[in-house]
Amino acid sequence: MGIVAGLDSSPDFTRIVVCDTDTGAVLKQGYAPHPLESADGRPSDVDPQAWLLSLGEAAGGGLLEGVQAIGVSAQQNALVPLDQHGNTVRPALVGNDRRAQVAAVDLIDGLGSREAWAQAVGCVPQSAHPVTKLRWLAKTEPEAARRVAALMQAPDWLVWQLLGRPARRTTDRGGASGTGYWSAATGTYRPDLVELALGHQAMLPEVIGPAEAAGTTPEGLLISAGTGETMAAAFGLGVQQGDAVVSLGASGSVMAVHHEALADAGGMITSLADATGMHLPVVHTMNAVRVLRGTAEMLGVADLEELSALAMKSTPGAHGLVLLPYLEGEKTPNLPHAAGTLTGLRRESMKPEHLARAAFEGMLCGLGDALDVLRGRGVEVRRVFLLGAAAELPAVQTAAPMLFGTQVVVPQPADYAAIGAARQAAWALSGQLPLWQGAAAQVFEPGEELAVGQAVRQQYATVREQSHPGAFAS
């Protein structure tokens, strides 16, 4: 019997869970928001010290007393540039930094093509990637860029701080795979891509294995490798090969555990590594819950719960209404300048409940297209974990199994990233992968509705192909 802790430093808060090493049961937890003010007043610039202040507050009241090991999960794509003394050159660049959009195009041109990037590191540069932020830094703040001697991401930096800033700096496969200068396929850095972006070389953290410890504090607290939030959440959920995770935010993402890295010349698949030594291919959609919110506003309903209740009055297929949900353009398929399309309007279909149903089906069919991108590359999908507040809506729970064509699992809300970090700490402490009980969840089967769901998907695919011929052509 022992206890371990996991901390999740998200963009807005730090949450710490203390867990039993044998069962994973959460014994106690702490929480603290990050300071509201971002550095320089820009949401994309954050002083990393704010993460430490929040961590200290969350760990207050003796929360970590008796803890033997701690794991760190933190927001991905947060780049911390350091000078030769280990001090920050400027505030951390975090999130989907739209300032770097031009830099992403520059990098693609610099290496020759999107395909070249996909083959090199498993992803095509976008504004969120650290490699793209480096290019932006070199172009817009050249003096600061020249002082950059080392690069870290948020989880790496927090681990390093907890250990007292040792000479050895580490990261894990999961965190490294999101940088744009480390390849999950080869397990190696591409320093030439750092130089292409920044203009010179910089020290990069050592990539250690999933069960390795980053080090031990002077007080004897073991610190595990750490990882990104996406990888930690997957580990906390207990997803395995054959599982996919569909996240319902304003935009959507679909990821699955796979045995190998997947290079995608079209750029729809981002080839990440997970926290266990496997791979985590991810496909993003621009449109998910924003489709539901837009439809609710159009119909004048108060909230998504009311929209769901309205949709439940309709039937599968929404009386022929099909909504292509490309409200913000789309990544999957690659239609950046597209708009949404509503077809099938007839007098009998022009009712609020049918439009509500079409919105839910359109959102889920779009995510089903993303799932099929992975399936088309040999990724096995036996069940789908559905995450996000919208996963609790009856209209989603009813339609998702038939449209995805598989069992759908809706876990109870919990901070799975922090739990995954704690599980990683238990692994580093014992040397054995902890077999913790999976997330408590509701399970939904497609059952007899499977054929109906396939018909709805076919109707959707027909409209998509008519509106955007060859959108999914390889």
Side-chain angles (χ1 to χ4, degrees), residues 30 60 82 140 177 356 401 419 434 454 474:
L82 303 174
T140 58
S177 67
I419 293 169
Q454 289 175 330
S474 55

Side-chain angles (χ1 to χ4, degrees), residues 306-319:
E306 189 174 335
L307 185 72
S308 173
L310 194 60
M312 294 295 284
K313 295 178 181 178
S314 182
T315 53
H319 273 245

Side-chain angles (χ1 to χ4, degrees), residues 286-427:
M286 289 295 293
N287 302 280
V289 177
R290 62 165 43 99
V291 178
L292 305 183
R293 297 202 183 281
T295 306
E297 289 175 14
M298 177 186 283
L299 292 175
V301 301
D303 52 34
L304 298 188
E305 287 74 18
E306 189 174 335
L307 185 72
S308 173
L310 194 60
M312 294 295 284
K313 295 178 181 178
S314 182
T315 53
H319 273 245
L321 283 188
V322 176
L323 176 64
L324 296 185
Y326 305 154
L327 306 187
E328 296 283 326
E330 190 46 80
K331 290 181 180 179
T332 307
N334 185 28
L335 299 168
H337 306 297
T341 304
L342 180 66
T343 66
L345 285 170
R346 293 184 176 84
R347 180 65 190 90
E348 62 271 18
S349 65
M350 296 177 73
K351 294 181 179 179
E353 59 265 32
H354 302 323
L355 179 55
R357 178 84 190 196
F360 280 96
E361 290 181 347
M363 175 188 77
L364 292 169
C365 284
L367 290 161
D369 280 350
L371 264 175
D372 287 348
V373 169
L374 294 178
R375 285 172 167 143
R377 292 295 302 276
V379 176
E380 182 184 17
V381 179
R382 290 195 304 267
R383 61 177 177 170
V384 169
F385 285 78
L386 203 54
L387 305 183
E392 301 291 333
L393 298 172
V396 170
Q397 295 176 351
T398 301
M402 71 170 90
L403 295 177
F404 294 161
T406 189
Q407 182 187 86
V408 168
V409 178
V410 180
Q412 289 184 0
D415 198 318
Y416 291 107
I419 293 169
R423 192 178 180 203
Q424 186 193 66
W427 196 1

